[in-house]
Amino acid sequence: MEHNQFRTWLKQHEIEHEEKWLEQYDSAFKGDEQAIVNIALLYKDYGQYDEMYDLLYEAKERQNSEAMYELGNCYFEGLGEKGSEQQAFLLYKSAAQLGHRDAMNNLADMYLNGEGAEVDEQQALSWFKKAAQLGVAEAMFTLGMMYEQGLGTECDESQAFDYYTRSAEQQDVEAMYRIGMIYFSGELGQRQDNEKALEWFLKASEQFHADATFNIGYCYEYGYGVTQNNEKAIHYYKKASLLGDLEATKKVVSYYEMTDAAEASKWREKLIVLNNDIYE
């Protein structure tokens, strides 16, 4: 696609910051590898997969780890009906060996789940550790799970809690929720503490975690770590319901069946929709 054709394409798709993208296009034309990847990802966003692959192949051949990683993602997702899990695995491995931290995490995931390769928990553990050292929060969370469950290593509650905590501090929402559950149940050597549990559920809820939001409603309903308050309980059950939580919707229906028939009818309809979604 020539410069003027690219400009026309930007206008046709009403893409913002036209001049910025034209500058990126010119830089890519001159061989700037990051610009090549950036333009490829723009094409990806708009379903222009042939153009996307051409650019990613070009940057990959220059041993660009970001291009390898993104091409691995495209193969893993099956975009444009190209590639395979095995090819994605090899691309992630190449990018990881060049120091790409997200490729390390994805490679570890594939070893853990047996995608594109045989299950190898020890290799998974090794690559998750390398990704975690480079600050990947998801890798820290998965290491917590592996140490908790003894996958690829001996069970170690202290290590598990430490990795969950590090991940949560990096704003990983699943880690925030997990720490909340650890305190709520008194697991992994931690003293049971409803107030700390609620604190972590609130943090996860701010990132729209449905189970954490439900648990906040539960805490308010029964007075765990907070003064019992039915109005706040229903407020959080409603929020969890809007995030697709079936049990929260049942709670809201039960509450309104005793207080407001019209509202109960409305929420029963939502309950039916959620039930249908689950069993489709």
Side-chain angles (χ1 to χ4, degrees):
M1 190 180 292
E2 299 293 334
H3 180 95
N4 288 336
Q5 290 177 312
F6 184 68
R7 181 190 292 274
T8 301
W9 182 82
L10 291 172
K11 290 183 181 299
Q12 287 174 340
H13 291 82
E14 299 180 349
I15 296 172
E16 295 181 351
H17 311 297
E18 178 182 319
E19 291 305 316
K20 181 199 80 171
W21 285 113
L22 288 169
E23 288 177 9
Q24 285 283 294
Y25 179 89
D26 290 339
S27 294
F29 185 78
K30 294 173 183 175
D32 184 315
E33 292 177 13
Q34 187 57 56
I36 292 171
V37 174
N38 291 343
I39 297 295
L41 295 180
L42 180 66
Y43 283 140
K44 178 182 179 181
D45 289 341
Y46 288 87
Q48 303 283 130
Y49 297 140
D50 288 342
E51 293 85 349
M52 172 198 74
Y53 277 120
D54 285 345
L55 290 174
L56 290 179
Y57 291 148
E58 179 184 341
K60 177 187 79 72
E61 290 303 307
R62 302 183 188 193
Q63 296 299 297
N64 182 281
S65 64
E66 182 73 8
M68 293 173 183
Y69 167 72
E70 293 293 351
L71 189 55
N73 290 341
C74 294
Y75 282 161
F76 189 81
E77 296 167 29
L79 296 183
E81 299 182 356
K82 290 188 178 183
S84 65
E85 284 189 353
Q86 290 79 11
Q87 288 174 296
F89 173 86
L90 293 173
L91 284 162
Y92 288 144
K93 189 171 185 178
S94 294
Q97 290 170 338
L98 290 171
H100 195 289
R101 65 179 202 161
D102 291 322
M104 293 175 185
N105 183 67
N106 288 11
L107 177 65
D109 264 330
M110 296 188 84
Y111 272 125
L112 184 62
N113 298 313
E115 296 168 323
E118 294 295 321
V119 171
D120 190 328
E121 293 175 354
Q122 291 183 334
Q123 280 283 0
L125 186 77
S126 174
W127 282 108
F128 277 130
K129 283 184 175 180
K130 291 175 182 177
Q133 289 171 355
L134 294 174
V136 180
E138 184 183 341
M140 298 172 195
F141 173 79
T142 310
L143 284 167
M145 180 191 71
M146 294 183 76
Y147 276 106
E148 181 178 358
Q149 299 179 15
L151 301 175
T153 185
E154 296 294 323
C155 287
D156 188 325
E157 292 187 345
S158 177
Q159 283 270 55
F161 186 73
D162 179 63
Y163 274 117
Y164 285 140
T165 301
R166 288 172 57 189
S167 180
E169 289 172 348
Q170 294 289 327
Q171 304 304 305
D172 185 274
V173 66
E174 290 299 331
M176 293 175 182
Y177 172 68
R178 183 71 190 104
I179 291 176
M181 289 303 299
I182 289 167
Y183 280 122
F184 192 76
S185 304
E187 304 173 62
L188 300 185
Q190 304 305 306
R191 182 176 62 83
Q192 199 274 339
D193 189 325
N194 290 330
E195 291 184 3
K196 283 187 177 180
L198 183 61
E199 176 186 335
W200 283 104
F201 290 148
L202 284 164
K203 289 180 179 180
S205 179
E206 289 174 0
Q207 294 193 37
F208 309 105
H209 193 287
D211 291 337
T213 306
F214 174 89
N215 286 359
I216 298 168
Y218 188 85
C219 288
Y220 273 111
E221 182 179 5
Y222 294 103
Y224 292 123
V226 70
T227 302
Q228 192 273 340
N229 187 316
N230 282 334
E231 288 186 3
K232 286 190 174 182
I234 291 301
H235 169 75
Y236 281 103
Y237 284 144
K238 283 182 177 179
K239 287 183 67 175
S241 174
L242 293 172
L243 292 169
D245 191 285
L246 186 66
E247 293 305 313
T249 311
K250 291 179 182 178
K251 289 278 192 180
V252 177
V253 170
S254 296
Y255 175 79
Y256 280 122
E257 282 178 340
M258 297 183 293
T259 59
D260 188 325
E263 280 293 302
S265 177
K266 183 181 77 174
W267 285 93
R268 272 195 296 271
E269 289 179 8
K270 180 168 180 60
L271 184 60
I272 292 170
V273 171
L274 285 176
N275 263 316
N276 290 339
D277 289 344
I278 289 172
Y279 292 108
E280 279 184 355

